[in-house]
Amino acid sequence: MMGEKSIRFYLPDGLRQSAAAGEHNFLNKVASVLADAGFRAEYLSPDLTNTFAPGYSLFHMQEPLARNSVTVRRAYYYPFWQIERTNERWHWDAAKARFDPDAIDADVARQFYLFWQKRLFSDAMKTFGWDGFVYIPLQGRLTQCRSFQSCSPIEMIRQTLLHEPKRRVIAALHPKETYSEEDFAALEALDAKFDRLELRMGEMESLLPRCDYVVTENSSVGFSGFFFGKPCVTFANIDFHHITADVGRLGVEGAFDAVRGPVPDFAGYVWWFLQKMSINAGRPEAEEKIRTRFSALGWPV
């Protein structure tokens, strides 16, 4: 029909079928907002992007392909989501926004924080404590320094051992990552050189509640640590940098000085990041926030 607009949802198997059937809460709300604005939806495989057509399109955790393309991605936990023009979290609007703890209602933030702390980590909170070690949740490519990182993960471990002379350092490999022989060799060399270094596989559920603080490139474990009141050093760009001891901003020595200093407003930040800067698909105002977001991105909604 004349003037009809098309929105192509490029989604992986499982998610695509769920969205097409109207069974995915957030994507169903997105489709509803766009349908109200006159969009006709198509649900396609990302494998078909080689036949990509001009117009409007939406991806899940993939880099958008054109000006009128967006990607959607969880803000770490369900039902919180972001709609962005890039899949790189450090370029998101939340990453660029200013966090002002003085502008937040402390009681509202505290209530929100305690609710989601219990909802997400009720079992882990039962083992909460401070056992005198630094927890480094590793990601992938341990010997490489990528463009968004201050140094390679291996160098990050070494710098942690040099700037934290007292505490044990536990570096944990990610159980779903694939590591090279070079990665393992580099880890073994560090392990042989530093007595305070321990290597683990996984164990986030036991390590995060008991550590003194977290050191990471930009793992979501750093954000999860906020629910346990655990400060965090970040060695790479990320969207939740506002209350981390960020090496890119402070330098290595400054970051380790900061992480051992006054603790941030964890409750205020978690509320700001999840409730204000993200779309809570479980809230009645979710569709209005989705509409506002698309409008801000220039879509005719």
Side-chain angles (χ1 to χ4, degrees):
M1 125 177 125
M2 186 67 67
E4 182 181 59
K5 301 182 289 288
S6 177
I7 170 67
R8 297 175 180 87
F9 288 79
Y10 290 100
L11 304 171
D13 284 343
L15 182 61
R16 182 172 69 256
Q17 289 81 358
S18 175
E23 296 171 350
H24 189 282
N25 183 38
F26 175 67
L27 291 175
N28 191 43
K29 292 179 189 296
V30 169
S32 176
V33 167
L34 294 175
D36 288 346
F39 282 87
R40 179 178 60 84
E42 296 180 74
Y43 295 88
L44 306 170
S45 168
D47 296 337
L48 295 176
T49 53
N50 61 339
T51 60
F52 182 74
Y56 295 88
S57 56
L58 179 147
F59 295 81
H60 175 251
M61 294 179 62
Q62 269 187 262
E63 195 63 23
L65 295 180
R67 181 178 179 275
N68 289 325
S69 294
V70 296
T71 191
V72 297
R73 187 167 180 168
R74 272 186 304 146
Y76 301 108
Y77 311 103
Y78 291 111
F80 303 98
W81 290 83
Q82 296 283 10
I83 303 172
E84 297 286 343
R85 282 208 174 102
T86 175
N87 194 45
E88 296 176 335
R89 291 182 182 272
W90 51 94
H91 291 311
W92 288 3
D93 284 2
K96 299 174 183 177
R98 178 176 175 268
F99 169 61
D100 181 5
D102 295 331
I104 292 171
D105 185 318
D107 292 334
V108 170
R110 186 70 180 168
Q111 184 178 5
F112 178 89
Y113 180 79
L114 292 174
F115 174 85
W116 284 102
Q117 183 187 65
K118 183 177 180 180
R119 177 82 170 263
L120 296 168
F121 300 107
S122 58
D123 290 338
M125 284 303 298
K126 296 174 184 176
T127 63
F128 172 81
W130 309 87
D131 283 357
F133 68 89
V134 178
Y135 171 36
I136 304 182
L138 293 170
Q139 294 158 283
R141 306 186 194 182
L142 300 186
T143 60
Q144 298 179 31
C145 177
R146 290 182 273 178
S147 61
F148 55 89
Q149 297 173 325
S150 296
C151 63
S152 70
I154 286 292
E155 180 62 17
M156 173 180 68
I157 299 172
R158 192 179 78 85
Q159 290 295 331
T160 301
L161 288 159
L162 293 175
H163 288 86
E164 176 48 79
K166 296 181 180 179
R167 293 175 174 86
R168 292 179 296 140
V169 174
I170 300 179
L173 294 163
H174 196 296
K176 293 184 178 180
E177 284 282 357
T178 299
Y179 296 99
S180 67
E181 291 185 7
E182 184 181 7
D183 290 334
F184 286 119
L187 280 175
E188 289 170 3
L190 277 180
D191 190 35
K193 184 176 181 179
F194 293 95
D195 292 338
R196 289 182 297 110
L197 176 62
E198 299 178 32
L199 302 177
R200 304 279 183 91
M201 175 63 75
E203 301 186 31
M204 184 197 78
E205 293 80 5
S206 60
L207 294 172
L208 185 57
R210 303 299 302 182
C211 71
D212 285 3
Y213 62 88
V214 176
V215 174
T216 180
E217 292 282 2
N218 59 6
S219 169
S220 62
V221 175
F223 189 90
S224 296
F226 298 162
F227 286 97
F228 297 89
K230 306 294 184 175
C232 179
V233 175
T234 46
F235 273 78
N237 298 334
I238 194 56
D239 53 345
F240 61 83
H241 63 86
H242 307 80
I243 64 167
T244 69
D246 180 43
V247 169
R249 184 175 66 248
L250 302 172
V252 177
E253 185 174 352
F256 279 92
D257 286 343
V259 80
R260 293 187 290 261
V263 297
D265 177 9
F266 293 112
Y269 186 75
V270 166
W271 177 89
W272 177 83
F273 188 92
L274 293 179
Q275 188 62 24
K276 182 176 180 181
M277 300 304 296
S278 307
I279 298 168
N280 183 345
R283 294 280 302 172
E285 67 272 15
E287 288 194 13
E288 186 54 39
K289 290 193 74 171
I290 292 168
R291 186 175 293 106
T292 299
R293 180 59 179 155
F294 276 121
S295 179
L297 292 171
W299 286 37
V301 293

